[in-house]
Amino acid sequence: MSRGVGRQMHQTDPNWWRQAVVYQIYPRSFADADGDGLGDIRGIRSKIAYLASLGIDAVWLSPFYPSALADGGYDVDDYRDVDPRLGSLAEVDELIRALHDAGLKVIVDIVPNHSSNRHRWFREALAAGPGSTARNRYIFRDGLGPDGNRPPSDWVSHFGGSAWTRITEPSGEPGQWYLHLFAREQPDWNWDNPEVREDFLSTLRFWSDRGVDGFRVDVAHALAKDMSEPLRSRPTAASGTTPLDGKDPLYDRDEVHGIYAEWRKVFNEYDPPRTAVAEAWVPAARRHAYASPEGLGQAFNFDLLRADWDPDQFRTIITDNLAQAGTSGASSTWVLSNHDVVRHATRYGLPPGTDYARWLMGEGREPAEDQVLGLRRARAATLLMLALPGSAYLYQGEELGLFEVPDLPAAVLQDPIWERTGRRRKGRDGCRVPLPWTVDGPSFGFGPDGAHLPQPDWFGACSVEAQDGNEGSTLSFYRRALALRRELQTYEELRWCDGGTGQVLHFARPGGWHTVANFGARPAPVPDGEFLVGSAPLHDGLLPPDTTVWLRVRPRA
Ligand code: GLC
């Protein structure tokens, strides 16, 4: 699929998202202006010059809505307000304005599968009796067995344990059960209810009217559920195991696209139309339905994030996803890190096949993490990713080469996975530790005081202050690559120049932009051309192992 993009994105360009670089901000861990240990809106605002200096096109803000933080803000009390600990609506309005003034688009997270148990409608549902209108906004069922004391089905939560929790009725008696595919504090909405559908359309308009440019749609593949009796057995949580026929009772059901067709109409009420990207952990072959122009328009592709540092895996993933993008008419997306996974500088420093959840729990952390190798490969993978047609999603801190913080003490863990698995899995806090901005000082410049998750001593050396202006730093490398990408990027085309086998991947984009990545153990030759940027320097004119370079190669006369 070949589509043009302007060299400079225009504020009103309806295609701005197609090859955008989007930087994910996890607000509670980005920058803390008021000193309560939680990052906030004013903190983000104070870093706009930094964000603009990176050369990104947009920021995606993870939830900043009122929340008890049972799941880091993905338990939303009110979709149309701001957590007072993070700021106010007026401050978010100002932030959106200031980001726009800096030439950056704004994407917000929308969490439609579940609210929090503190949402006004859930409290109403608890207070109203079984069969009431209020209960019908969520998914309540009677339990099994003569006393109703067994959950209505064997469905399990992503975070461990049953996906059903029993409530106490207003009468004080043990009562019905409600469904929560995640934590018990995250009751699932009933998307068969028109009132729920309408309410979400109001939320989309609420943020679109405030100038938000797009939405990241949380767990987009779970909204439509088959609740017909008897409930079908589904004893595993992983949505990756869904069949390809759209008939699983919980995930990736065909009807879900009816919901997004309604959303699309709202997006298209705006000029330029609002964009959306689906977080849908579905097989690659089912992704295009979410990414269709009649639906959300784009879907996350987590294939690289799950791949080993392996040329065959990378080549296949790139080829397949570009073909997929052609099918949906969307551009592909690329992700190496986000707030849900072990940071890629750590993943690549562990042997292929490492079970990260077990590694995080491991006594003595065996196998040992090779941080030099991990960062080297992370930079090489990033440069390769940034050369691909489509949009790239970066996660805060990866531009500093941050590693996972694997050794957070049990007492500080916040991820509901920890308790829900009976303390058998630590969860995702290790990639959510507040960013280091300065070499030292309280919370390494995150805020005037402490940080809500403790930062390790080595964070200072990774801080923005330590890397800014330092030619060899990961931060300078990201800036250089992102600036060049803006210059080089034209059509969404890629041509393989390698033979399709071997340890080196070589592809070209229009205009003579060549990318060569060496996955092997030996130095490899590179084509003649102008060296633009490398994840590491060339050595004697050769491409060292675990290195990617961009070159400008003139066509032969
Ligand atoms: C998504 C989010 C994750 C959250 C979950 C439940 O996967 O990325 O952080 O825990 O949804 O909302």
Side-chain angles (χ1 to χ4, degrees):
M1 165 124 325
S2 130
R3 287 183 195 241
V5 291
R7 291 209 166 209
Q8 286 294 302
M9 270 195 328
H10 198 266
Q11 289 281 19
T12 55
D13 177 0
N15 285 322
W16 68 266
W17 50 276
R18 293 194 66 93
Q19 298 206 72
V21 176
V22 183
Y23 180 92
Q24 180 189 358
I25 293 181
Y26 192 73
R28 291 175 177 84
S29 298
F30 187 68
D32 175 21
D34 65 7
D36 66 354
L38 277 184
D40 45 36
I41 302 298
R42 277 199 296 126
I44 301 172
R45 180 122 194 241
S46 72
K47 301 296 183 195
I48 290 183
Y50 173 77
L51 293 167
S53 81
L54 292 175
I56 54 173
D57 301 301
V59 296
W60 147 29
L61 302 171
S62 277
F64 49 79
Y65 315 112
S67 168
L69 303 186
D71 180 22
Y74 284 89
D75 45 322
V76 179
D77 298 351
D78 181 346
Y79 294 87
R80 303 196 279 266
D81 204 352
V82 177
D83 186 335
R85 289 169 296 180
L86 269 65
S88 63
L89 262 178
E91 284 174 6
V92 170
D93 288 342
E94 276 167 32
L95 176 67
I96 295 171
R97 238 188 333 266
L99 286 165
H100 282 165
D101 287 349
L104 299 173
K105 302 279 187 192
V106 183
I107 294 174
V108 297
D109 226 301
I110 197 92
V111 188
N113 180 65
H114 43 264
S115 68
S116 83
N117 58 347
R118 308 197 315 172
H119 191 283
R120 181 171 58 88
W121 276 358
F122 191 72
R123 287 192 272 114
E124 264 183 40
L126 291 183
S132 58
T133 312
R135 286 240 169 132
N136 192 38
R137 296 185 188 120
Y138 291 90
I139 303 179
F140 281 86
R141 289 290 178 280
D142 293 332
L144 301 179
D147 303 326
N149 60 4
R150 283 193 292 117
S153 72
D154 61 0
W155 299 347
V156 285
S157 147
H158 274 273
F159 295 157
S162 172
W164 295 96
T165 287
R166 194 170 198 189
I167 63 157
T168 303
E169 297 295 346
S171 64
E173 296 291 308
Q176 288 197 298
W177 299 69
Y178 67 88
L179 181 69
H180 52 89
L181 295 184
F182 293 86
R184 69 170 65 217
E185 295 86 354
Q186 293 168 294
D188 282 35
W189 289 109
N190 172 14
W191 276 90
D192 288 334
N193 186 329
E195 212 187 342
V196 170
R197 290 187 178 230
E198 267 310 309
D199 195 58
F200 269 89
L201 299 182
S202 302
T203 296
L204 297 176
R205 288 198 181 94
F206 179 87
W207 290 109
S208 299
D209 289 344
R210 303 188 104 82
V212 154
D213 303 282
F215 299 90
R216 178 264 186 191
V217 183
D218 192 64
V219 213
H221 56 311
L223 277 50
K225 298 177 177 85
D226 177 11
M227 296 304 300
S228 54
E229 302 283 349
L231 300 176
R232 279 191 275 152
S233 169
R234 197 187 193 292
T236 53
S239 46
T241 57
T242 51
L244 290 171
D245 62 1
K247 302 276 182 279
D248 184 87
L250 296 180
Y251 298 104
D252 193 27
R253 294 185 61 74
D254 290 337
E255 306 91 89
V256 79
H257 301 296
I259 298 170
Y260 299 132
E262 288 177 8
W263 289 26
R264 172 51 54 189
K265 289 197 190 119
V266 173
F267 299 151
N268 289 350
E269 287 167 8
Y270 293 86
D271 181 23
R274 298 323 189 219
T275 66
V277 57
E279 188 219 17
W281 294 84
V282 298
R286 304 267 311 165
R287 212 175 277 145
H288 62 92
Y290 295 85
S292 95
E294 291 79 42
L296 294 176
Q298 211 180 32
F300 279 133
N301 145 27
F302 295 120
D303 297 351
L304 282 186
L305 177 156
R306 292 197 271 204
D308 297 321
W309 177 243
D310 174 274
D312 297 333
Q313 290 183 37
F314 269 62
R315 188 187 282 106
T316 307
I317 288 169
I318 293 166
T319 307
D320 289 357
N321 279 286
L322 293 179
Q324 280 282 331
T327 317
S328 65
S331 58
S332 191
T333 59
W334 306 103
V335 190
L336 288 167
S337 277
N338 64 30
H339 66 297
D340 289 330
V341 296
V342 170
R343 285 185 176 276
H344 68 283
T346 291
R347 294 201 312 268
Y348 291 134
L350 292 166
T354 301
D355 177 335
Y356 301 116
R358 288 185 59 191
W359 178 77
L360 284 172
M361 291 300 293
E363 292 284 307
R365 301 255 117 53
E366 291 298 332
E369 174 186 2
D370 182 340
Q371 291 194 334
V372 173
L373 183 69
L375 184 56
R376 189 175 178 97
R377 288 183 171 170
R379 288 171 55 142
T382 298
L383 196 59
L384 194 165
M385 171 178 85
L386 290 176
L388 297 172
S391 43
Y393 286 77
L394 309 178
Y395 176 52
Q396 68 177 38
E398 68 169 81
E399 78 280 16
L400 305 177
L402 282 191
F403 301 100
E404 187 80 2
V405 181
D407 47 3
L408 288 168
V412 304
L413 295 178
Q414 300 173 8
D415 192 333
I417 289 178
W418 173 240
E419 290 298 343
R420 287 197 64 90
T421 58
R423 307 188 165 194
R424 281 194 300 275
R425 278 170 57 203
K426 271 193 156 175
R428 303 157 294 177
D429 292 314
C431 66
R432 300 174 177 179
V433 175
L435 288 192
W437 294 91
T438 54
V439 174
D440 41 36
S443 64
F444 298 110
F446 165 67
D449 211 333
H452 68 98
L453 283 168
Q455 301 152 303
D457 290 345
W458 51 265
F459 255 38
C462 296
S463 64
V464 174
E465 185 186 27
Q467 299 196 38
D468 206 2
N470 167 352
E471 267 301 287
S473 71
T474 300
L475 177 58
S476 300
F477 159 69
Y478 266 72
R479 284 178 172 150
R480 200 157 50 243
L482 290 168
L484 277 163
R485 176 182 155 110
R486 287 197 159 193
E487 250 177 58
L488 295 166
Q489 186 164 267
T490 56
Y491 295 100
E492 291 171 37
E493 277 176 11
L494 177 150
R495 175 172 58 84
W496 289 105
C497 308
D498 55 46
T501 55
Q503 296 298 303
V504 174
L505 295 189
H506 178 183
F507 58 80
R509 300 277 307 271
W513 176 16
H514 282 239
T515 298
V516 191
N518 185 2
F519 290 73
R522 291 183 192 181
V526 290
D528 284 341
E530 179 197 348
F531 178 93
L532 297 171
V533 61
S535 61
L538 293 179
H539 199 70
D540 291 337
L542 292 173
L543 185 62
D546 302 315
T547 305
T548 300
V549 282
W550 291 356
L551 306 157
R552 199 188 320 256
V553 177
R554 304 252 167 255
R556 286 201 194 132

